[in-house]
Amino acid sequence: MKPQYVYRWVNNHALILLFKKVRLRRGDLFARLNCSAEGIENPYALIEQMRGEGGLRRTLPVWTALDHEMVRNILRDKRFGVGIPTVFGTPPPVRRALARRPLPPNPVDPPSMLVLDQPEHTRMRKPVTAAFTPRAVARLQNRIETVTEELLAALPDSGPTDLVARYAAQIPIAIISEMLGFLDSDREMFLRWGDDISPLLDLGISWRTHQRAMESSERVHRYLVEHIERLRTEPGDDILSSLVAAGDLSTYELCASATLLMAAGFETTVNLIGKGIVWLFRHPEQLERLRAEPELWPNAVEEILRIDPPVQMTARTTRTALEIGGVRLRPGSTVVLSLAGANRDPAVFTDPARFDIARDNAKNHLSFSSGIHVCLGAGLARMEAAHALRALFETFPALRLTDPPTRRPLFTLHGYERLPAHTGPRVRSHQRAG
């Protein structure tokens, strides 16, 4: 049991977990949303109940914002900093312990750009920005189509399959692995590590879950250190080789950036594709419209992102005393921002619980955040999802789910773990719609 892991868990999770369990017994809405099966299976009913109690709600030990305007404003407000909510802050003994024995790089601890404020955020983000410009992403179109076709070809004709394990998870992990110069044979290993590390984004996780996440982070770190050393002598045509060659980041910082890019490049998209499959099965009239009007596929992806975001929430902490929504907040106050609540704000989206692939303002969602921390890979995720969903339903027009979908046991990264399905007869690629 490593002391730095104990410090981290106590500081970031233990008391929040205790608060949630106590308040769950009292029927608290926030605890039900973030600490119960109800919050995984149907968070939106709870979110709407919370919305009725006001835009900025006190939910010990944090505050919660659900309204679109407020969430968007906080995401863009320089008076707020980033970071996973803590109860104590980071006391000096913890800082000293972490300085002696730093945590393995992971998406939710510095120097991950996800939890850095300016100017360090810009220093870490700027080197990787060029790989995710619209022009750079557009160049990946052919590769996305090729990977998708290979995966569709591997699915059985008129047979059983799991659309998460065999399809939705494989497209984004293949693309981001290639972008980082990893071997194809390492994809399954990264999928396993991702399952272990993803809970770090939740509030108040158990010690066992936390320990498993940190141990997997150690294994990822060891792998990346060896990989980066190889790239120093045998660089490739990939993001990580470019970062190594530039020499602007230390090995530890390179590992942190690679870990975050791997997580962000995979987690959002696998959940997006999986949710898209389920929403279209549940709304066959919308799927039929897409078959008749395939130009609507990009907007359909925006509507899936809006109505059921892959990332349900994020958090910001006040850097100074301030007032927002009529509430005075002290320095160090944490506000949990419900992206899912913002995306269903009736002040912005008419009939927000209705799934409408032609919704004219679907793209106003906040599923990729906003401000300086807006998701770097948003364009890539949109492209992967639109092509993956269209190609799947065109290749297997009789595709059906055979059992109820199984949710991932996570609250922040919200999606499906299994989608048992039967493919039906295959339509060959040359026969599909152009």
Side-chain angles (χ1 to χ4, degrees), residues 331-358:
S333 299
T334 294
V335 181
V336 173
L337 307 175
S338 174
L339 306 179
N343 287 354
R344 292 194 178 205
D345 188 342
V348 177
F349 303 102
T350 303
D351 193 7
R354 177 171 55 89
F355 180 54
D356 179 6
I357 61 166

Side-chain angles (χ1 to χ4, degrees), residues 196-209:
D196 290 343
I197 296 170
S198 296
L200 289 176
L201 281 149
D202 276 348
L203 301 173
I205 63 176
S206 71
W207 164 248
R208 180 174 296 179
T209 300

Side-chain angles (χ1 to χ4, degrees), residues 2 20 35 40 47 56 68 72 97 142 175 185 221 232 251 253 271 280 313 318 335 344 383:
K2 298 186 176 181
K20 288 198 304 182
C35 195
I40 292 176
I47 286 170
L56 191 63
H68 188 279
R72 183 177 180 273
N142 289 341
I175 298 302
S185 57
H221 186 208
R232 294 191 194 281
T251 297
E253 290 170 333
N271 289 343
L280 290 169
M313 59 185 162
T318 54
V335 181
R344 292 194 178 205
M383 181 186 291

Side-chain angles (χ1 to χ4, degrees), residues 58-76:
R58 183 61 167 162
T59 49
L60 291 174
V62 299
W63 296 83
T64 305
L66 302 109
D67 298 340
H68 188 279
E69 182 179 9
M70 181 178 291
V71 170
R72 183 177 180 273
N73 287 344
I74 291 175
L75 288 170
R76 293 169 169 244

Side-chain angles (χ1 to χ4, degrees), residues 139-140 178-181 231 234-242:
R139 288 198 295 267
L140 294 170
E178 289 183 13
M179 292 178 72
L180 292 170
L231 295 182
E234 302 174 22
D237 184 20
D238 57 79
I239 303 172
L240 201 50
S241 291
S242 298

